[in-house]
Amino acid sequence: MLKNCMLSVVACALLCYSCGHEEIKSAELAGVVKTEVACPYQNELAVVYPGKVKAASDVNLSFRVAGPLAALPAEVGAFVKKGQCIAEIDRRDFEIQLSATEAEYKQIKAEAERVMELYERGSVPVNDYDKAVYGLQQITAKYEAHKNALADTRLTAPFDGYIQKKYFDAHETVGAGMPVIAMINNRYFEVEVDLPSADYIRQDCFKSFFCTFDVFPGKVFPLELIEIARKANLNQLYRVRFRLNAEKGVNIAAGMSVNVTVEYAPEDNALTVVPVAAVFEKNGKAQVWIYDELSGCVKSRDVVPGKILKTGQMVIREGLQAGEKVVSAGVHRLKDGMKVRLLKPVSRTNVGGLL
């Protein structure tokens, strides 16, 4: 009798222990989390991208004619004005050629004018008149071509700028179309940045652009949008070109690095904000846990994060809608489909949980 009572007590103890263990295990699986509701963000958004300054006009200049270089008066780094001679080919052969053509032109012109006058009087046939007209046109074109060739022995600056590089020295022979001098324009520059597709599709909402230099702290330089490429590069980014006007007293140079800020007003309900703690990284992607009130389970979702606000919240550009509940505490110990329990809100009248 006593033995049977002892067995019953042991069985009850084991049953109680088993039930308690199952309750503990169930509590571990059903994690306690804190949730927040994603709110719409409708303020102006600003994104910053690294960029590079380029010369707006970076051109290689060449002669239209060939010959030995007589002079290159402009030195590398020198400032030249539009129309200033920066290189010259030896003019001797071109002057002789033009002189011979000019003499031939004057002779044929005089003969053609006599034939035309006689034709008007009816003294010469139409055939002679046509030969005179066509001969004059031919020698005129040849004469003009040789005058242009002589003028082309002088290479002039097409704009105000700086001599960047010289490819030849004096007395070297250059061919027609071969680059002789490289020039850059100093009136304005271009800034290039690469936009991801998330911002490319919102280009209609762009409002303003400006850039800053680390070497010019505290100064903001406005930018003017030139164009946005319609095709992505190998990195799936879209090249954007801006115009940067030079300012007096600020020595901007091509090749400098800048930070370009693009400001735009997003569409209604296009962006949301959540606590920073709600966003985590998995497999190189930003994600949040979405809480389903019906099932009490959580599911991960990829999102595109934006900037972090001073309030401790993060702007979400894509992947989340206003009104959805996200887990804001305990995100690193959850799994997809895991059933969770919500952390009870702290009463404002029971600070510290003392009552």
Side-chain angles (χ1 to χ4, degrees):
M1 183 72 177
L2 180 61
K3 183 176 180 181
N4 291 334
C5 290
M6 291 295 295
L7 291 175
S8 299
V9 171
V10 172
C12 290
L14 290 175
L15 180 60
C16 292
Y17 173 78
S18 176
C19 293
H21 183 69
E22 289 296 330
E23 290 179 358
I24 295 174
K25 185 176 180 181
S26 176
E28 291 178 350
L29 290 177
V32 179
V33 298
K34 180 181 178 182
T35 61
E36 296 281 350
V37 178
C39 300
Y41 181 77
Q42 299 178 358
N43 296 329
E44 289 188 1
L45 184 68
V47 289
V48 181
Y49 297 102
K52 187 76 69 175
V53 176
K54 292 184 60 180
S57 298
D58 187 354
V59 297
N60 291 323
L61 304 178
S62 59
F63 288 98
R64 292 186 177 184
V65 295
L69 288 172
L72 284 87
E75 297 296 332
V76 174
F79 174 78
V80 293
K81 292 186 176 182
K82 181 179 179 179
Q84 180 178 339
C85 181
I86 55 178
E88 190 171 1
I89 285 179
D90 190 349
R91 298 163 57 91
R92 183 193 62 185
D93 295 340
F94 295 93
E95 289 175 344
I96 295 174
Q97 179 179 256
L98 178 59
S99 179
T101 304
E102 184 178 6
E104 185 180 2
Y105 167 75
K106 290 179 179 180
Q107 178 185 356
I108 295 177
K109 182 181 178 183
E111 293 177 354
E113 289 175 349
R114 286 195 297 268
V115 172
M116 291 177 187
E117 184 178 354
L118 293 174
Y119 174 76
E120 292 178 357
R121 297 177 183 178
S123 301
V124 294
V126 177
N127 187 35
D128 292 343
Y129 172 80
D130 291 340
K131 288 182 180 179
V133 171
Y134 297 146
L136 180 59
Q137 290 178 349
Q138 183 177 6
I139 193 60
T140 300
K142 183 178 179 181
Y143 178 51
E144 293 296 330
H146 288 172
K147 282 201 301 184
N148 292 336
L150 180 61
D152 290 338
T153 58
R154 297 179 73 255
L155 186 62
T156 58
F159 49 77
D160 295 347
Y162 290 90
I163 303 297
Q164 184 180 15
K165 190 174 182 180
K166 295 165 69 172
Y167 299 102
F168 292 91
D169 293 324
H171 311 300
E172 289 187 292
T173 301
V174 297
M178 294 181 62
V180 177
I181 291 179
M183 277 189 64
I184 58 175
N185 194 339
N186 73 320
R187 290 183 300 172
Y188 66 93
F189 298 89
E190 289 186 3
V191 175
E192 292 185 347
V193 299
D194 292 326
L195 290 184
S197 57
D199 289 325
Y200 173 80
I201 61 176
R202 297 192 178 97
Q203 57 183 284
D204 293 338
C205 300
F206 290 168
K207 294 185 62 178
S208 61
F209 318 92
F210 63 88
C211 70
T212 57
F213 293 77
D214 293 337
V215 293
F216 304 121
K219 289 189 67 67
V220 176
F221 300 85
L223 298 174
E224 178 184 347
L225 179 63
I226 298 178
E227 68 171 358
I228 302 178
R230 300 300 175 184
K231 183 179 180 181
N233 56 24
L234 296 178
N235 296 322
Q236 298 303 307
L237 299 173
Y238 296 85
R239 180 64 52 88
V240 184
R241 293 171 55 228
F242 299 96
R243 176 170 177 161
L244 171 64
N245 293 320
E247 294 186 10
K248 292 184 179 180
V250 181
N251 190 18
I252 298 176
M256 287 185 173
S257 298
V258 295
N259 292 317
V260 177
T261 300
V262 179
E263 294 182 330
Y264 64 91
E267 300 176 355
D268 294 340
N269 300 325
L271 304 179
T272 55
V273 288
V274 296
V276 175
V279 184
F280 62 96
E281 183 179 353
K282 184 178 181 181
N283 298 327
K285 296 182 179 180
Q287 295 184 340
V288 295
W289 291 108
I290 305 297
Y291 175 72
D292 186 359
E293 295 183 349
L294 296 178
S295 64
C297 300
V298 294
K299 186 177 181 180
S300 63
R301 183 187 297 174
D302 294 342
V303 294
V304 179
K307 69 176 182 178
I308 298 177
L309 305 178
K310 295 181 180 179
T311 57
Q313 294 177 307
M314 176 178 287
V315 177
I316 302 299
R317 301 183 192 173
E318 293 181 2
L320 192 62
Q321 295 182 356
E324 291 186 299
K325 279 190 175 182
V326 298
V327 177
S328 60
V331 297
H332 297 291
R333 53 188 178 86
L334 300 178
K335 297 180 180 180
D336 273 315
M338 186 176 183
K339 192 175 184 65
V340 297
R341 292 185 291 113
L342 300 184
L343 181 66
K344 295 181 179 180
V346 178
S347 174
R348 295 183 179 178
T349 60
N350 184 22
V351 179
L354 299 177
L355 299 179

